[in-house]
Every structure is written in structure tokens, then in C-alpha cells.
Amino acid sequence: MARKPQPVRKAVLPVAGMGTRFLPATKAVPKEMLPVVDKPVVQYAVEEAREAGIEQFIFVTGRGKAIIEDHFDHAYELEMLLKSRDKTSELNSLLEGLPVTGAVSFTRQQKPLGLGHAVWSARHLVGDEPFAVLLPDDLMVGTPGGLSQMMDVYNDAGGVVVAAEEKPLEEVKRYGVISPGEIKGKAVEVKDVVEKPKPSKAPSRLCIIGRYILQPEIFVELDRKEAGAGGEIQLTDSMARLIGRVPFHAVKTDCARYDCGDKVGFLQANIALALARPDIGPALKDILRRVPL
Ligand code: UTP
């Protein structure tokens, strides 16, 4: 019988990007702290990871991102105030989002040299075990969540598992694109990956989105610090070098995915999640019906 893959206990959340597409909003506020309805984008990723069994959350931060640390800590004065005013549901909304003491750690990327470099910055905190990477910009909504659906494939196949989505050909130049092999249920075998190809050079329309389950061997590849597309150290290039050495699959989850790093995607996420909420959805629907288009 095949050995069960080593469990994935740790998640890396790279949050060191500059968020230039959201300026001036992101001049003093990290884009990961922008709210979708009433929760910062980054909190959705932490909740998705927790649902998938993650125990340790490793944030790769940079300058100006300290409020992310405050967000995942107790705010005693606020908690006391809410308690004294019997604002139980508000208090619970603070406490429910909080990882247990010791489950969160932070490291700094120091230089924004790209996603691969951000992940490499977490190597000492990850150590010699498999780990997940969640890009909080990609908000995934589904039951079970995106990372849980990927874990199902990982528990069977082990190795590397990425989330993927079919995109229109004109959009593939923004993504890592997969050369697909055999399809096994929800999983597609990955034969190759190409970062940001021209549409004419794309091996398919199947694009990697912001969820990964990786093996520690990736750090050896990232250690080369080779710049790829856009002069950045790309995670895709290092992942590509693991193909053939470890099993490598992509999962087309059935989650809705919103690109909250982009203004339209961010607005779409706010509208979709607000409409789905019983407390505010009906009122918003009413307002939207009356918006002149
Ligand atoms: P993006 O390229 O979407 O983030 O990276 P960005 O650079 O902040 O975006 P814009 O274009 O300037 O608005 C995807 C994810 O990788 C992280 C980002 O924080 C985001 O979660 N990232 C990117 C880093 O942590 N470090 C980097 O050097 C680059």
C-alpha cells in the first residue's frame, strides 16, 4: 500500500506586495486589510486555511504591514469595552477570527523581489515539511473551501498540488499556465508550467491561481534566486523544476474565485458576498435594482 503523504500543517501567506493597483487606498493601509463586506481580505484566507487543517500561519510581510500583526492579536481594550456593553456578537466576531496563541508568525521579505522570493523568505519557519501557500488577493468561496478541496487530492497523490482555473486566451499572459496531462477526477496531471506566456505560446488556458501545496524541495530551487518574467523571482519557475521529481497535479475547484488584487474583482467580491448575506443582502439587492446603468 502507498504511504500516506506527510500532513500539511503550515501555511505561508505572502502579504509583502506593494498593492500599486489600489493606490491611493494602499498608501498607508495594506491591500490585504481592505474589507470585503466587513472582514479584511486576508482573514478569509486564514479561515480557509484553518478549515483545511492548517495549524501554523506564517505571514511574509514588509514595511507598512504591521497592522496585519495587530489584526491577528487580541485588542484587550476593545474586547473589554464590547463585553461591558453586552455587544456579544461583535465580540465574538473578533474572537472567532483569532488563531490560537503561538499559531501565527511573521517574517519580512525585506525587498519585494517577487512571489518566489516572498515564499523563500519563509524557509526557516517552514522547515523540512510540506506546506501550503495562500495568496490572500485570491478570495475563494466554496463549501468545502478551496484549500480543503486541494487537500483531498494531496492526501491521495502527495507531491505538489496547485489550484487552477480555465481563463480566456487573452488573459493567460497574467498567469502561470499549465501543460495538462492525464485527468483523474478533479485533478489534472501537470506536465509543464509556463509563467506569463504570450497567448500564441500558451500550452493551454488552464491557469494557476493563488493556492499551492508545496514540498520543501522548492526552497532549494528558490535558493538560485533566478529572475524570471518581469524581472521577478517567480514561484512558477521553481515549481516547474519539481515536475518529474514529485507528483504534480492541478485542481479545478468548484469555488467562486474573486481577484481582490484588481479593482473590478474586489468590487465583485464585495457585491457577491454582501448579496449572499441574510442581514444585508435583501437591502443591497433593492438598492442595486434602483442603480441607473
Ligand atoms: P501581486 O503582484 O498581485 O501583488 O502579488 P502586488 O505587487 O502587491 O500588486 P500590484 O500589482 O502592485 O497591485 C500576489 C501576491 O504576492 C505577494 C502580494 O502581497 C500578493 O499577496 N507578493 C508579491 C509578495 O509578498 N512579495 C512580492 O515581492 C510580490
Side-chain angles (χ1 to χ4, degrees), residues 14-22 31-32 60 65 109 111-115 118 135-137 232 261:
V15 292
M18 307 287 279
T20 54
R21 281 171 288 169
F22 270 96
K31 69 170 169 178
E32 297 79 12
V60 180
K65 303 277 181 168
Q109 189 184 0
K111 289 181 192 163
L113 297 181
L115 177 59
L135 306 190
D137 280 3
E232 296 197 332

